[in-house]
Amino acid sequence: MNPTEASFTTVRQPGTAHAQYPYLSATNTADRTYLKFKTDALGPDKKIVSATLEFTVASTGATRPGVQVYPTSSAWTSNRLTRNNQPALQNAPLSDGSIRAVAGKTIRVPLGNLATISTTGPTSFAVGYTQVGVGTTFKKGASGPRLHLVVKDVREASPVTSPTPPPVAAPTAPVNSGALPIAVAPIGTTAKKVFAHYFPPYPVSFDNKPPASDYYAVNYLQPGGESGKHASYGGLLRDRPEKRDPLTGDWQARDFLDEVNDAADAGIDGFTVDIMSLSGQNWTRTVGVMQAAAAANRNFVVVPNIDASASVATATPTDVAMKLSQLFASPAAYRLSTGEYVLSSFKAEAQSPQWWSDIATVLKTKYGIKVAFIAVFNNASDANMKSFAPISYALGNWGSRTPVTVASGANNAAKARALGVKWMSPVAVQDVRPNGGKYAEAGNTETLRASWNRAITDGADFVQMVTWNDYSESTSFAPSEAHGEAFLDISAYFVRQFKMGSPPAVTGDALYVTHRIQPFAAQPSTPSRLMVPTLDGTAMAPRDTVEVLTLLRAPASVTVNIGGTKRTFDAPAGLSAVTFPLLLGSVSATASRSGTPIATVNSPFRVVSTPNVQDLQYYAVSSLGR
């Protein structure tokens, strides 16, 4: 939720109010930011389960962590708040001071002592910075502070405590979805769940080095990286996780926690974590993801996902079951109300139904763990679905990646129901594989919207967003350098529609622009093998388009500037999209209502005629600055 009051005080002008300033200031002693939130709107029958304050940093001189949040009285208003009359700090700080302000970045500060957050009256916080001699400012307005809350109805039964992990409560979306211009009332308990497929080979950072010199920059994004092994196709990756500065302490744990929070903020219920091996770095990262999900206190769950196309498939069912038992011991492991733990898969058909049944049998007989199996196919043929249905709780498919193949695909949800099982529907953005020499023509966000609409109209029980972070195939939803949080934000709209059965009310205004940074036929300056659009087996004609997706509370006029050519169109209320020809140069768009600009987006990605390497992924930017 956004604050109802926001201002700051300073010793430099102790008798002056500062509500008129477009920023908030926090220092060690001189400046203090004050925020007030209408938490009583939740009602007295709600209990706060977790709380996080989010800020977008405008400027800072900080070189080490130090954001500090204190509870304070709500007996103040922005236009009268001064240093002389500011409320005193109450109790100990609610944060541990471990979060560092980084200019231009959005930071999240987990809060403790949740009893200080009122559900019967407003809640206020005072914010400072512990590092002496530096100043930090935060943005106000649409990009200003936000309070993310996860709540529980106090009328619900308390969780059962036992020697083994209790069933995980049904995941709920956070009360606030950040700056998203949609209604964000709690979704509550729903049988429909949304998971994102987590791919351990690509963590936020490999080495905690500065982004300009880390492993991604030096080895994966350069044609000559890793001793030139990827030179024939211009480098392994075209995108990477959103950059961050080096962290102190357990930086891997911090990275995993940030990913969990990013996913939970979008309304995602959990990760299906790809288990490629039973040891090594990928296994260690799988454990780290589960630990972060448990520590986040967001009702965010994890489903182990055995990758039958990887080396783990050479292990015996006994060995696989032994390692799975360790994961199922985590309180973050997803557990049905029946007590069964959920186990998923990739390319289930690569192993026989008996192999999967043997794993379940060992888990039950040796470890006392009952599992509900989701068989996710690379090819959801009728034969595969029929052969796996008897051993499965649900079936699913990895899915196709063009809007044509998504729309024309079979209604597998209906087929699954006819076989007496549930259906997990795939949702994807795009698929571009430089190392494989092929890609799918996603048509800007058409594949994303088409796959969400199939999941909704087919009545799927679950959704698997594929993927959270596989940058080698450009399928990521996770915040990245190429698309920020744009694809997550768009999906947050559909997540609520999928779970609630109707689109959420649009309460604000946002623009999302997607485009490539080169015409599809452009020749790169670095000689390399070029990709062809045949990933789905049927070639959808490549296209050079800019798409403007609008999410508006009321109709507006939108002006698009593509390479210096301006076009204007009328956008209706709600969600809609319009495409225009891709031209060389810069791309921007502005929405206006009654002659007043209400949202503007300027793409930082220029369209060029000769790229360094072929890059056919769609880039995305948002007017929300996310």
Side-chain angles (χ1 to χ4, degrees), residues 304-527:
N305 184 104
I306 298 295
D307 189 334
S309 70
S311 63
V312 66
T314 64
T316 66
T318 298
D319 288 341
V320 174
M322 184 270 290
K323 299 296 282 190
L324 285 174
S325 70
Q326 298 173 14
L327 300 180
F328 288 134
S330 168
Y334 183 39
R335 194 175 182 185
L336 303 176
S337 60
T338 58
E340 296 169 291
Y341 289 92
V342 178
L343 172 65
S344 189
S345 56
F346 169 73
K347 201 175 183 180
E349 70 269 30
Q351 292 288 346
S352 68
Q354 188 62 53
W355 188 80
W356 296 103
S357 292
D358 288 346
I359 292 172
T361 298
V362 175
L363 282 167
K364 180 179 179 181
T365 58
K366 189 170 183 178
Y367 302 101
I369 297 172
K370 294 182 179 180
V371 295
F373 180 54
I374 302 179
V376 177
F377 306 114
N378 208 36
N379 175 19
S381 65
D382 289 349
N384 282 335
M385 292 179 71
K386 288 178 181 178
S387 64
F388 275 82
I391 68 162
S392 300
Y393 164 70
L395 304 176
N397 198 31
W398 195 242
S400 52
R401 302 289 185 267
T402 72
V404 172
T405 52
V406 170
S408 62
N411 186 340
N412 287 321
K415 292 182 179 181
R417 284 192 290 271
L419 293 169
V421 295
K422 299 180 181 295
W423 177 252
M424 175 179 274
S425 191
V427 167
V429 177
Q430 58 188 337
D431 202 326
V432 180
R433 307 182 187 186
N435 62 340
K438 54 188 176 180
Y439 72 100
E441 178 50 70
N444 300 89
T445 70
E446 284 190 24
T447 289
L448 175 62
R449 290 180 282 123
S451 52
W452 269 116
N453 286 327
R454 281 307 301 261
I456 293 166
T457 58
D458 288 355
D461 302 283
F462 309 109
V463 156
Q464 180 172 227
M465 298 166 66
V466 285
T467 62
W468 177 254
N469 61 331
D470 189 350
Y471 299 99
S472 64
E473 298 182 356
S474 297
T475 56
S476 70
F477 281 87
S480 80
E481 287 301 297
H483 53 71
E485 296 184 34
F487 294 142
L488 268 184
D489 286 357
I490 296 169
S491 289
Y493 174 89
F494 289 102
V495 166
R496 303 190 77 82
Q497 183 176 355
F498 173 71
K499 292 183 178 183
M500 302 295 288
S502 60
V506 180
T507 58
D509 302 295
L511 302 177
Y512 299 91
V513 169
T514 56
H515 64 90
R516 291 193 175 112
I517 61 170
Q518 62 158 88
F520 73 86
Q523 296 294 309
S525 58
T526 301

Side-chain angles (χ1 to χ4, degrees), residues 12 19 37 72 99 103 117 119 135 137 198 217 221 235-236 266 297 369 374 430 456 471 489 494 554 617:
R12 295 182 297 278
F37 296 91
T72 188
I99 304 301
I117 301 176
T119 58
T137 61
Y198 191 97
L221 292 167
L236 180 62
N297 200 21
I369 297 172
I374 302 179
Q430 58 188 337
I456 293 166
Y471 299 99
D489 286 357
F494 289 102
Q617 69 176 318

Side-chain angles (χ1 to χ4, degrees), residues 546-569:
V546 174
E547 180 192 272
V548 181
L549 186 149
T550 54
L551 197 56
L552 303 173
R553 62 180 177 81
S557 175
V558 181
T559 298
V560 187
N561 189 329
I562 305 171
T565 299
K566 291 186 178 181
R567 295 175 173 85
T568 299
F569 67 96

